[in-house]
Amino acid sequence: MEGVSGSGGPGSVGTARRSRTGRHPLARFLLKRILIAVLLAWGITLVTFVLTNLVPGDPVAANLGQRALGDPAIVAQWRSEHGLDQPLPQQYLIHLGGILQGDLGTSQQSHRPVSQDLAEAVPATLELAGAAIVVSLVLGVAFGVIAALRRDRLSDHVLRVLSLIGISVPTFWLALVAFYVFFYRLQITPGSGRVDAALGAPPAVTGLHTVDALLAGRWDIFTSAAGHLVTPALVLALYTIGLLTRFTRSAVLEVLGHDYVRAARAKGLPGRTILFRYVLRSALVPIITVAGLAFGSLLSGTVLVEAIFAWPGVGQYAYKSATTLDLPAVMGVGLVVGVVYLVINLVVDVLYGVIDPRVRLQ
């Protein structure tokens, strides 16, 4: 028995591997991804700081105006108050130290902490992008599966054409058309903003108006917030629906050609079992990748849609900060967007490890 146990079979190799490291393979996988994310977060702070300071233009002129530039004392005082009289390396160290303490600086326009401004803007964008990605996942994956199962039939051709249209139509143009048709002409959707001005925002808990209205038991505010959310969310979702439809179709078609799917069919397993247990699980890896990147793009790329629908999110805040050269606000937005992508990539990596054990063992 001792000779058998020491012969190095698959079970003993797995036990030895776990005992040498003292951690489960999934735990090692997660720890490695978290460490990489921390290093990338530091890189984001450095790149954001450098690129922001390389932007042409004078923040003093943008904030004080040309008349104040004629008084050197005012200029010197303003630069000293905002730390712009220090060398760039020292400015970065001060900026990095503030980030570690949760301080992103003070906005030169609103004269409030950037973290406070972002705490109000991020939930608005998160609510809009979250609704858009949920609609995109449900419709995009469903359309992609239908197109793959009915390959080269009429429904497949129709869905492929619709997905191509969704990818090709500019989002800002679609937002303008939707706002004009459904609000101005037909008057079947609410106007701009997140909620009717007469109702006001619900008591802030999460910053998401729909969720906060439900928590407060205000169904009138919930109905208004959901109505304001529908049109911009659908506009944002159209591109992602087209993208997910095409990727899902390709992924499902690739899996349908594998031998184990043919073997499952030969065994007489029900089509629904084959689809959900074998096909979709194997096709989820590329679908999750596209969905993660799409969600990051929705969170960081809603500038024009937010401007058209007067949605007070990160997009509008970033635009106003960039046009006024509000450097602390610009760096704060850049940091938030970078961290969003890091978190999404980390979640995608974890889902990889959960869905496909080979990923974490490698």
Side-chain angles (χ1 to χ4, degrees), residues 224-318:
S224 175
H228 282 78
L229 184 62
V230 169
T231 307
L234 289 178
V235 168
L236 280 176
L238 185 62
Y239 173 84
T240 311
I241 289 173
L243 191 66
L244 285 174
T245 298
R246 300 181 72 86
F247 269 88
T248 302
R249 180 183 182 274
S250 300
V252 171
L253 284 176
E254 181 180 355
V255 175
L256 286 174
H258 288 172
D259 292 337
Y260 63 86
V261 177
R262 297 194 184 98
R265 286 175 175 171
K267 291 179 180 179
L269 292 178
R272 183 176 299 179
T273 302
I274 296 174
L275 176 62
F276 289 100
R277 184 175 298 180
Y278 295 94
V279 177
L280 276 183
R281 182 169 183 178
S282 299
L284 274 179
V285 172
I287 294 173
I288 288 174
T289 303
V290 176
L293 294 176
F295 186 50
S297 299
L298 289 175
L299 283 173
S300 59
T302 59
V303 178
L304 295 176
V305 174
E306 288 184 358
I308 293 170
F309 289 95
W311 197 269
V314 176
Q316 278 209 63
Y317 185 71

Coordinates of all heavy atoms in Angstrom, one line a residue, residues 224-318:
S224 N -41.7 56.9 -12.1 CA -41.1 58.0 -12.9 C -39.6 57.7 -13.2 O -39.2 58.0 -14.3 CB -41.2 59.3 -12.0 OG -40.5 60.4 -12.7
A225 N -38.8 57.2 -12.2 CA -37.4 56.9 -12.5 C -37.3 55.8 -13.5 O -36.4 55.9 -14.4 CB -36.7 56.5 -11.2
A226 N -38.1 54.8 -13.5 CA -38.0 53.7 -14.5 C -38.4 54.2 -15.8 O -37.8 53.8 -16.8 CB -38.9 52.5 -14.0
G227 N -39.4 55.1 -15.9 CA -39.8 55.7 -17.2 C -38.7 56.5 -17.8 O -38.4 56.4 -19.0
H228 N -38.0 57.3 -17.0 CA -36.9 58.1 -17.5 C -35.7 57.2 -17.9 O -34.9 57.6 -18.7 CB -36.4 59.1 -16.4 CG -37.3 60.3 -16.3 ND1 -38.5 60.3 -15.6 CD2 -37.1 61.5 -16.7 CE1 -39.0 61.5 -15.6 NE2 -38.2 62.3 -16.3
L229 N -35.6 56.0 -17.3 CA -34.5 55.1 -17.6 C -34.6 54.3 -18.9 O -33.6 54.0 -19.5 CB -34.3 54.2 -16.4 CG -33.1 53.2 -16.4 CD1 -31.8 53.9 -16.4 CD2 -33.2 52.3 -15.2
V230 N -35.8 54.1 -19.3 CA -36.1 53.2 -20.4 C -35.4 53.6 -21.7 O -34.6 52.8 -22.3 CB -37.6 53.0 -20.6 CG1 -37.9 52.3 -21.9 CG2 -38.2 52.2 -19.5
T231 N -35.7 54.8 -22.2 CA -35.2 55.2 -23.5 C -33.7 55.3 -23.6 O -33.1 54.7 -24.5 CB -35.8 56.6 -23.9 OG1 -37.2 56.5 -23.8 CG2 -35.4 56.9 -25.3
P232 N -33.0 56.0 -22.6 CA -31.5 56.0 -22.8 C -30.9 54.6 -22.6 O -29.9 54.3 -23.2 CB -31.1 57.0 -21.6 CG -32.2 57.0 -20.7 CD -33.4 56.8 -21.5
A233 N -31.5 53.8 -21.8 CA -30.9 52.4 -21.6 C -31.1 51.6 -22.8 O -30.1 50.9 -23.2 CB -31.6 51.7 -20.4
L234 N -32.2 51.7 -23.5 CA -32.4 51.0 -24.8 C -31.5 51.5 -25.9 O -31.0 50.7 -26.7 CB -33.9 51.0 -25.2 CG -34.9 50.3 -24.4 CD1 -36.3 50.5 -24.9 CD2 -34.5 48.8 -24.4
V235 N -31.3 52.8 -25.9 CA -30.4 53.4 -26.9 C -28.9 52.8 -26.7 O -28.3 52.4 -27.6 CB -30.4 54.9 -26.8 CG1 -29.2 55.5 -27.6 CG2 -31.7 55.4 -27.3
L236 N -28.5 52.8 -25.4 CA -27.2 52.3 -25.1 C -27.1 50.8 -25.4 O -26.0 50.3 -25.8 CB -26.8 52.6 -23.6 CG -26.3 54.0 -23.3 CD1 -26.1 54.1 -21.8 CD2 -25.0 54.3 -24.0
A237 N -28.2 50.1 -25.2 CA -28.1 48.6 -25.3 C -28.1 48.1 -26.7 O -27.7 47.0 -27.0 CB -29.4 48.0 -24.6
L238 N -28.6 49.0 -27.7 CA -28.7 48.5 -29.0 C -27.4 48.0 -29.6 O -27.3 46.9 -30.2 CB -29.3 49.6 -29.9 CG -29.6 49.2 -31.4 CD1 -30.6 48.1 -31.4 CD2 -30.0 50.4 -32.2
Y239 N -26.3 48.7 -29.4 CA -25.0 48.3 -29.9 C -24.6 47.0 -29.3 O -24.1 46.1 -29.9 CB -24.0 49.4 -29.7 CG -22.6 49.0 -30.0 CD1 -22.1 49.1 -31.3 CD2 -21.7 48.5 -29.0 CE1 -20.8 48.7 -31.7 CE2 -20.4 48.2 -29.4 CZ -20.0 48.3 -30.7 OH -18.7 47.9 -31.0
T240 N -24.7 46.9 -27.9 CA -24.3 45.8 -27.2 C -25.1 44.5 -27.6 O -24.6 43.4 -27.6 CB -24.3 46.0 -25.7 OG1 -23.7 47.2 -25.4 CG2 -23.6 44.9 -24.9
I241 N -26.4 44.7 -27.8 CA -27.2 43.6 -28.3 C -26.7 43.0 -29.6 O -26.6 41.8 -29.8 CB -28.7 44.1 -28.4 CG1 -29.3 44.3 -27.0 CG2 -29.5 43.0 -29.1 CD1 -30.7 45.0 -27.1
G242 N -26.4 43.9 -30.6 CA -25.9 43.5 -31.8 C -24.6 42.7 -31.7 O -24.3 41.7 -32.3
L243 N -23.7 43.3 -30.8 CA -22.4 42.7 -30.6 C -22.5 41.3 -29.9 O -21.9 40.3 -30.4 CB -21.5 43.6 -29.7 CG -20.1 43.3 -29.5 CD1 -19.4 43.4 -30.9 CD2 -19.4 44.2 -28.5
L244 N -23.3 41.2 -28.9 CA -23.5 39.9 -28.2 C -24.2 38.9 -29.1 O -23.9 37.7 -29.0 CB -24.3 40.1 -26.9 CG -23.5 40.7 -25.8 CD1 -24.5 41.0 -24.6 CD2 -22.4 39.8 -25.3
T245 N -25.1 39.3 -29.9 CA -25.8 38.4 -30.8 C -24.8 37.7 -31.8 O -24.8 36.5 -32.0 CB -26.9 39.2 -31.7 OG1 -27.9 39.7 -30.8 CG2 -27.6 38.2 -32.7
R246 N -23.9 38.5 -32.3 CA -23.0 37.9 -33.3 C -22.0 37.0 -32.6 O -21.6 36.0 -33.1 CB -22.2 39.1 -34.0 CG -23.2 40.0 -34.8 CD -22.4 41.1 -35.6 NE -21.7 40.5 -36.7 CZ -22.2 40.3 -37.9 NH1 -23.5 40.6 -38.1 NH2 -21.5 39.9 -38.9
F247 N -21.5 37.4 -31.4 CA -20.5 36.6 -30.7 C -21.1 35.3 -30.2 O -20.5 34.3 -30.2 CB -19.9 37.4 -29.6 CG -18.6 38.2 -29.9 CD1 -18.7 39.4 -30.5 CD2 -17.4 37.6 -29.8 CE1 -17.5 40.1 -30.9 CE2 -16.2 38.2 -30.2 CZ -16.3 39.5 -30.7
T248 N -22.3 35.5 -29.6 CA -23.0 34.3 -29.1 C -23.3 33.3 -30.3 O -23.1 32.1 -30.1 CB -24.3 34.7 -28.5 OG1 -24.1 35.6 -27.4 CG2 -25.0 33.4 -27.9
R249 N -23.7 33.8 -31.4 CA -24.0 32.9 -32.5 C -22.7 32.1 -32.9 O -22.7 30.9 -33.1 CB -24.5 33.7 -33.7 CG -24.8 32.9 -35.0 CD -25.2 33.8 -36.1 NE -25.5 33.0 -37.3 CZ -24.6 32.6 -38.2 NH1 -23.3 32.9 -38.0 NH2 -25.0 31.9 -39.3
S250 N -21.6 32.9 -33.0 CA -20.3 32.2 -33.4 C -19.9 31.2 -32.4 O -19.4 30.1 -32.7 CB -19.2 33.3 -33.6 OG -19.6 34.2 -34.6
A251 N -20.0 31.6 -31.1 CA -19.6 30.7 -30.0 C -20.4 29.4 -30.0 O -19.9 28.3 -29.8 CB -19.6 31.4 -28.7
V252 N -21.7 29.5 -30.1 CA -22.6 28.4 -30.1 C -22.4 27.5 -31.3 O -22.4 26.3 -31.1 CB -24.1 28.9 -30.0 CG1 -25.0 27.7 -30.1 CG2 -24.3 29.5 -28.6
L253 N -22.2 28.1 -32.4 CA -21.9 27.3 -33.6 C -20.6 26.5 -33.5 O -20.6 25.3 -33.9 CB -21.9 28.2 -34.9 CG -23.2 28.7 -35.4 CD1 -22.9 29.6 -36.6 CD2 -24.1 27.5 -35.8
E254 N -19.6 27.1 -32.9 CA -18.4 26.3 -32.7 C -18.6 25.2 -31.7 O -18.0 24.1 -32.0 CB -17.3 27.3 -32.1 CG -16.0 26.7 -31.9 CD -14.9 27.6 -31.4 OE1 -15.3 28.8 -31.2 OE2 -13.8 27.2 -31.1
V255 N -19.3 25.4 -30.7 CA -19.5 24.3 -29.7 C -20.4 23.2 -30.3 O -20.2 22.0 -30.0 CB -20.1 24.8 -28.4 CG1 -20.5 23.7 -27.4 CG2 -19.2 25.8 -27.8
L256 N -21.4 23.5 -31.1 CA -22.3 22.5 -31.7 C -21.5 21.5 -32.6 O -22.0 20.4 -32.8 CB -23.4 23.2 -32.5 CG -24.5 24.0 -31.7 CD1 -25.4 24.7 -32.7 CD2 -25.3 23.0 -30.9
G257 N -20.4 21.9 -33.1 CA -19.6 21.0 -33.9 C -18.7 20.1 -33.1 O -18.0 19.3 -33.8
H258 N -18.6 20.2 -31.8 CA -17.7 19.3 -31.0 C -18.3 17.9 -30.9 O -19.5 17.6 -31.0 CB -17.5 19.9 -29.6 CG -16.7 21.1 -29.6 ND1 -16.5 21.9 -28.5 CD2 -16.0 21.7 -30.6 CE1 -15.7 23.0 -28.8 NE2 -15.4 22.9 -30.1
D259 N -17.4 17.0 -30.7 CA -17.7 15.5 -30.6 C -18.6 15.2 -29.4 O -19.6 14.4 -29.6 CB -16.5 14.7 -30.5 CG -15.7 14.7 -31.8 OD1 -16.3 15.1 -32.9 OD2 -14.5 14.5 -31.8
Y260 N -18.4 15.9 -28.3 CA -19.2 15.5 -27.1 C -20.7 16.0 -27.3 O -21.6 15.4 -26.7 CB -18.6 16.1 -25.8 CG -18.5 17.6 -25.8 CD1 -19.6 18.4 -25.3 CD2 -17.4 18.3 -26.1 CE1 -19.5 19.7 -25.2 CE2 -17.3 19.6 -26.0 CZ -18.4 20.4 -25.6 OH -18.3 21.7 -25.5
V261 N -20.9 17.0 -28.1 CA -22.3 17.4 -28.4 C -23.0 16.4 -29.3 O -24.1 16.0 -29.1 CB -22.3 18.8 -29.0 CG1 -23.8 19.2 -29.4 CG2 -21.7 19.9 -28.0
R262 N -22.2 15.9 -30.3 CA -22.8 14.8 -31.1 C -23.0 13.6 -30.3 O -24.1 12.9 -30.5 CB -21.8 14.5 -32.3 CG -21.5 15.7 -33.2 CD -20.8 15.2 -34.5 NE -20.5 16.3 -35.4 CZ -19.3 16.9 -35.4 NH1 -18.3 16.4 -34.6 NH2 -19.0 17.8 -36.2
A263 N -22.1 13.3 -29.4 CA -22.4 12.1 -28.6 C -23.6 12.2 -27.7 O -24.4 11.3 -27.5 CB -21.1 11.8 -27.7
A264 N -23.8 13.4 -27.1 CA -25.0 13.6 -26.3 C -26.3 13.5 -27.1 O -27.3 12.9 -26.7 CB -24.9 15.0 -25.7
R265 N -26.2 14.0 -28.4 CA -27.4 13.8 -29.2 C -27.6 12.3 -29.6 O -28.8 11.8 -29.6 CB -27.2 14.6 -30.5 CG -27.3 16.1 -30.4 CD -27.0 16.8 -31.7 NE -27.3 18.2 -31.5 CZ -26.9 19.1 -32.5 NH1 -26.2 18.7 -33.6 NH2 -27.2 20.4 -32.3
A266 N -26.5 11.6 -29.8 CA -26.6 10.2 -30.1 C -27.2 9.4 -29.0 O -27.9 8.4 -29.2 CB -25.3 9.6 -30.5
K267 N -26.9 9.8 -27.7 CA -27.5 9.1 -26.6 C -29.0 9.4 -26.4 O -29.6 8.8 -25.5 CB -26.7 9.6 -25.3 CG -25.3 9.1 -25.2 CD -24.6 9.6 -24.0 CE -23.2 9.1 -23.9 NZ -22.5 9.6 -22.6
G268 N -29.5 10.4 -27.1 CA -30.9 10.7 -27.0 C -31.3 11.7 -25.9 O -32.4 11.7 -25.5
L269 N -30.3 12.5 -25.5 CA -30.6 13.5 -24.5 C -31.5 14.6 -25.0 O -31.4 14.9 -26.2 CB -29.3 14.1 -24.0 CG -28.3 13.2 -23.2 CD1 -27.1 14.0 -22.8 CD2 -29.0 12.7 -21.9
P270 N -32.4 15.1 -24.2 CA -33.3 16.2 -24.7 C -32.5 17.4 -25.2 O -31.4 17.7 -24.7 CB -34.1 16.5 -23.5 CG -34.0 15.3 -22.6 CD -32.7 14.7 -22.8
G271 N -33.1 18.1 -26.2 CA -32.4 19.2 -26.7 C -32.1 20.3 -25.7 O -31.1 21.0 -25.8
R272 N -33.1 20.5 -24.8 CA -32.9 21.6 -23.8 C -31.7 21.2 -22.9 O -30.9 22.1 -22.5 CB -34.2 21.7 -23.0 CG -34.1 22.8 -21.9 CD -35.4 23.0 -21.2 NE -36.5 23.3 -22.2 CZ -37.7 23.5 -21.8 NH1 -38.1 23.3 -20.5 NH2 -38.7 23.8 -22.7
T273 N -31.6 20.0 -22.5 CA -30.4 19.5 -21.7 C -29.1 19.7 -22.4 O -28.1 20.2 -21.8 CB -30.6 18.0 -21.3 OG1 -31.8 17.9 -20.6 CG2 -29.5 17.6 -20.4
I274 N -29.1 19.4 -23.7 CA -27.8 19.6 -24.4 C -27.5 21.1 -24.5 O -26.3 21.4 -24.4 CB -28.0 19.0 -25.8 CG1 -28.2 17.4 -25.7 CG2 -26.8 19.3 -26.7 CD1 -28.5 16.8 -27.1
L275 N -28.5 21.9 -24.8 CA -28.3 23.3 -24.9 C -27.7 23.9 -23.7 O -26.7 24.6 -23.7 CB -29.6 24.0 -25.4 CG -29.5 25.5 -25.5 CD1 -28.5 25.9 -26.6 CD2 -30.9 26.1 -25.8
F276 N -28.4 23.7 -22.5 CA -28.0 24.4 -21.3 C -26.8 23.7 -20.6 O -26.0 24.4 -20.0 CB -29.2 24.5 -20.3 CG -30.2 25.5 -20.8 CD1 -31.4 25.0 -21.4 CD2 -30.1 26.8 -20.6 CE1 -32.4 25.9 -21.9 CE2 -31.0 27.7 -21.1 CZ -32.2 27.2 -21.7
R277 N -26.7 22.4 -20.6 CA -25.7 21.7 -19.9 C -24.3 21.6 -20.6 O -23.3 21.7 -20.0 CB -26.1 20.3 -19.5 CG -25.2 19.6 -18.6 CD -25.7 18.3 -18.1 NE -26.9 18.5 -17.3 CZ -27.6 17.5 -16.7 NH1 -27.2 16.2 -16.9 NH2 -28.7 17.7 -16.0
Y278 N -24.4 21.5 -21.9 CA -23.2 21.3 -22.7 C -22.9 22.5 -23.6 O -21.7 23.0 -23.5 CB -23.4 20.1 -23.6 CG -23.6 18.8 -22.9 CD1 -24.8 18.3 -22.6 CD2 -22.4 18.0 -22.5 CE1 -25.0 17.1 -21.9 CE2 -22.6 16.8 -21.8 CZ -23.8 16.4 -21.5 OH -24.0 15.2 -20.8
V279 N -23.8 23.0 -24.4 CA -23.5 24.0 -25.4 C -23.2 25.4 -24.7 O -22.2 26.0 -24.9 CB -24.6 24.1 -26.4 CG1 -24.3 25.2 -27.4 CG2 -24.8 22.8 -27.1
L280 N -24.2 25.9 -23.9 CA -24.1 27.2 -23.4 C -22.9 27.3 -22.4 O -22.2 28.3 -22.3 CB -25.4 27.6 -22.7 CG -26.5 28.2 -23.6 CD1 -27.7 28.6 -22.8 CD2 -25.9 29.4 -24.4
R281 N -22.7 26.3 -21.6 CA -21.6 26.4 -20.6 C -20.3 26.5 -21.3 O -19.4 27.2 -20.9 CB -21.7 25.2 -19.7 CG -20.6 25.2 -18.6 CD -20.7 24.2 -17.5 NE -19.7 24.3 -16.5 CZ -19.6 23.6 -15.4 NH1 -20.5 22.6 -15.2 NH2 -18.7 23.8 -14.6
S282 N -20.1 25.7 -22.4 CA -18.8 25.8 -23.1 C -18.7 27.1 -23.9 O -17.6 27.6 -24.1 CB -18.7 24.7 -24.1 OG -18.7 23.4 -23.4
A283 N -19.8 27.7 -24.3 CA -19.8 28.9 -25.1 C -19.7 30.2 -24.2 O -19.6 31.3 -24.7 CB -21.0 29.0 -26.0
L284 N -19.8 30.0 -22.8 CA -19.9 31.2 -22.0 C -18.6 32.0 -21.9 O -18.7 33.2 -21.6 CB -20.3 30.7 -20.5 CG -21.8 30.6 -20.3 CD1 -22.1 30.1 -18.9 CD2 -22.5 31.9 -20.5
V285 N -17.5 31.3 -22.1 CA -16.2 32.0 -21.9 C -16.1 33.2 -22.8 O -15.8 34.3 -22.4 CB -15.0 31.0 -22.0 CG1 -13.7 31.8 -22.0 CG2 -15.0 30.0 -20.9
P286 N -16.2 33.0 -24.1 CA -16.1 34.2 -25.0 C -17.3 35.2 -24.8 O -17.1 36.4 -24.9 CB -16.2 33.6 -26.4 CG -16.8 32.3 -26.3 CD -16.4 31.8 -24.9
I287 N -18.5 34.7 -24.4 CA -19.6 35.6 -24.2 C -19.3 36.5 -23.0 O -19.6 37.7 -22.9 CB -20.9 34.7 -24.0 CG1 -21.3 34.0 -25.3 CG2 -22.0 35.6 -23.5 CD1 -22.4 33.1 -25.1
I288 N -18.8 35.9 -21.9 CA -18.5 36.6 -20.7 C -17.4 37.7 -21.0 O -17.5 38.8 -20.5 CB -18.0 35.7 -19.6 CG1 -19.2 34.9 -19.0 CG2 -17.3 36.5 -18.4 CD1 -18.8 33.8 -18.0
T289 N -16.4 37.4 -21.8 CA -15.4 38.3 -22.2 C -16.0 39.6 -22.9 O -15.8 40.7 -22.5 CB -14.4 37.7 -23.1 OG1 -13.8 36.6 -22.5 CG2 -13.3 38.7 -23.5
V290 N -16.9 39.3 -23.9 CA -17.5 40.4 -24.6 C -18.4 41.2 -23.7 O -18.4 42.4 -23.7 CB -18.3 39.9 -25.8 CG1 -19.0 41.0 -26.5 CG2 -17.3 39.2 -26.8
A291 N -19.2 40.5 -22.8 CA -20.1 41.2 -21.9 C -19.4 42.1 -20.9 O -19.8 43.2 -20.6 CB -21.0 40.2 -21.2
G292 N -18.2 41.6 -20.4 CA -17.5 42.4 -19.5 C -16.9 43.6 -20.1 O -17.0 44.7 -19.5
L293 N -16.3 43.5 -21.3 CA -15.8 44.7 -22.0 C -16.9 45.6 -22.4 O -16.8 46.9 -22.3 CB -15.0 44.2 -23.2 CG -13.7 43.4 -23.0 CD1 -13.2 43.0 -24.3 CD2 -12.7 44.3 -22.2
A294 N -18.1 45.1 -22.8 CA -19.2 45.9 -23.1 C -19.7 46.7 -21.9 O -20.0 47.9 -22.0 CB -20.3 45.1 -23.7
F295 N -19.8 46.1 -20.8 CA -20.2 46.8 -19.6 C -19.3 47.9 -19.2 O -19.7 49.0 -18.8 CB -20.4 45.8 -18.4 CG -21.0 46.4 -17.2 CD1 -22.1 47.1 -17.2 CD2 -20.4 46.2 -15.9 CE1 -22.7 47.7 -16.1 CE2 -20.9 46.7 -14.8 CZ -22.1 47.5 -14.9
G296 N -18.0 47.6 -19.3 CA -17.0 48.7 -19.0 C -17.1 49.9 -20.0 O -17.0 51.0 -19.6
S297 N -17.4 49.5 -21.3 CA -17.6 50.6 -22.3 C -18.8 51.4 -22.0 O -18.9 52.6 -22.1 CB -17.7 50.0 -23.7 OG -16.5 49.3 -24.0
L298 N -19.9 50.7 -21.5 CA -21.1 51.4 -21.2 C -20.9 52.4 -20.0 O -21.4 53.5 -20.0 CB -22.2 50.4 -20.8 CG -22.8 49.6 -22.0 CD1 -23.8 48.6 -21.5 CD2 -23.5 50.5 -23.0
L299 N -20.2 51.9 -19.0 CA -19.9 52.8 -17.8 C -19.1 54.0 -18.1 O -19.3 55.1 -17.6 CB -19.2 51.9 -16.7 CG -20.1 51.0 -15.9 CD1 -19.3 50.1 -15.0 CD2 -21.2 51.8 -15.1
S300 N -18.1 53.8 -19.1 CA -17.2 54.9 -19.3 C -17.5 55.7 -20.6 O -16.9 56.7 -20.9 CB -15.8 54.4 -19.4 OG -15.7 53.4 -20.5
G301 N -18.4 55.2 -21.4 CA -18.6 55.8 -22.7 C -20.0 56.4 -22.9 O -20.6 56.4 -24.0
T302 N -20.7 56.9 -21.9 CA -22.0 57.4 -22.0 C -22.1 58.9 -22.1 O -23.1 59.5 -21.8 CB -22.8 56.9 -20.7 OG1 -22.2 57.5 -19.6 CG2 -22.9 55.4 -20.6
V303 N -21.0 59.5 -22.5 CA -20.9 61.0 -22.5 C -22.1 61.6 -23.3 O -22.8 62.5 -22.9 CB -19.6 61.5 -23.0 CG1 -19.5 63.0 -23.0 CG2 -18.5 60.9 -22.1
L304 N -22.2 61.2 -24.6 CA -23.1 61.8 -25.5 C -24.6 61.5 -25.1 O -25.4 62.4 -25.2 CB -22.8 61.4 -26.9 CG -21.5 61.9 -27.5 CD1 -21.3 61.3 -28.9 CD2 -21.4 63.4 -27.5
V305 N -24.8 60.3 -24.7 CA -26.2 59.9 -24.3 C -26.6 60.6 -23.1 O -27.7 61.1 -23.0 CB -26.2 58.4 -24.1 CG1 -27.6 58.0 -23.6 CG2 -26.0 57.6 -25.4
E306 N -25.7 60.8 -22.1 CA -26.0 61.5 -20.9 C -26.2 63.0 -21.2 O -27.1 63.6 -20.6 CB -24.9 61.4 -19.9 CG -24.8 60.0 -19.3 CD -23.7 59.9 -18.2 OE1 -23.0 60.9 -18.0 OE2 -23.6 58.8 -17.6
A307 N -25.5 63.5 -22.2 CA -25.7 64.9 -22.5 C -27.0 65.1 -23.2 O -27.7 66.1 -22.9 CB -24.5 65.4 -23.5
I308 N -27.4 64.2 -24.1 CA -28.7 64.4 -24.8 C -29.9 64.2 -23.9 O -30.9 65.0 -23.9 CB -28.8 63.3 -26.0 CG1 -27.7 63.7 -27.0 CG2 -30.2 63.3 -26.6 CD1 -27.6 62.6 -28.1
F309 N -29.8 63.3 -22.9 CA -30.9 63.0 -22.0 C -30.7 63.8 -20.7 O -31.5 63.5 -19.8 CB -31.1 61.5 -21.8 CG -31.6 60.8 -23.0 CD1 -30.7 60.2 -23.8 CD2 -33.0 60.7 -23.2 CE1 -31.2 59.5 -24.9 CE2 -33.5 60.0 -24.3 CZ -32.6 59.4 -25.2
A310 N -29.7 64.7 -20.6 CA -29.5 65.4 -19.4 C -29.4 64.5 -18.2 O -30.0 64.7 -17.1 CB -30.6 66.5 -19.1
W311 N -28.6 63.4 -18.3 CA -28.4 62.4 -17.3 C -27.2 62.8 -16.5 O -26.1 62.8 -17.0 CB -28.3 61.0 -17.9 CG -28.5 59.9 -17.0 CD1 -27.5 59.3 -16.2 CD2 -29.7 59.3 -16.7 NE1 -28.1 58.3 -15.5 CE2 -29.5 58.3 -15.7 CE3 -31.0 59.4 -17.1 CZ2 -30.4 57.4 -15.2 CZ3 -32.0 58.6 -16.6 CH2 -31.7 57.6 -15.7
P312 N -27.3 63.1 -15.2 CA -26.2 63.7 -14.4 C -25.2 62.6 -14.0 O -25.1 62.3 -12.8 CB -26.9 64.4 -13.3 CG -28.1 63.5 -13.0 CD -28.6 63.1 -14.4
G313 N -24.5 62.0 -14.9 CA -23.6 60.9 -14.6 C -22.2 61.2 -14.8 O -21.8 62.4 -14.9
V314 N -21.3 60.2 -14.9 CA -19.9 60.4 -15.0 C -19.6 61.0 -16.4 O -18.6 61.8 -16.5 CB -19.2 59.1 -14.8 CG1 -17.7 59.2 -15.1 CG2 -19.4 58.5 -13.5
G315 N -20.3 60.7 -17.4 CA -20.1 61.3 -18.7 C -20.1 62.8 -18.7 O -19.2 63.5 -19.2
Q316 N -21.2 63.3 -18.2 CA -21.4 64.8 -18.2 C -20.3 65.4 -17.3 O -19.8 66.5 -17.6 CB -22.8 65.1 -17.6 CG -23.9 65.1 -18.7 CD -25.0 66.0 -18.4 OE1 -24.8 67.2 -18.4 NE2 -26.2 65.5 -18.2
Y317 N -20.0 64.8 -16.1 CA -19.0 65.3 -15.2 C -17.7 65.3 -15.9 O -16.9 66.3 -15.8 CB -19.0 64.5 -14.0 CG -18.1 65.0 -12.9 CD1 -18.4 66.2 -12.2 CD2 -16.9 64.3 -12.6 CE1 -17.6 66.6 -11.2 CE2 -16.1 64.8 -11.6 CZ -16.4 66.0 -10.9 OH -15.5 66.5 -9.9
A318 N -17.3 64.3 -16.6 CA -16.0 64.2 -17.3 C -16.0 65.3 -18.4 O -14.9 66.0 -18.6 CB -15.8 62.9 -17.9

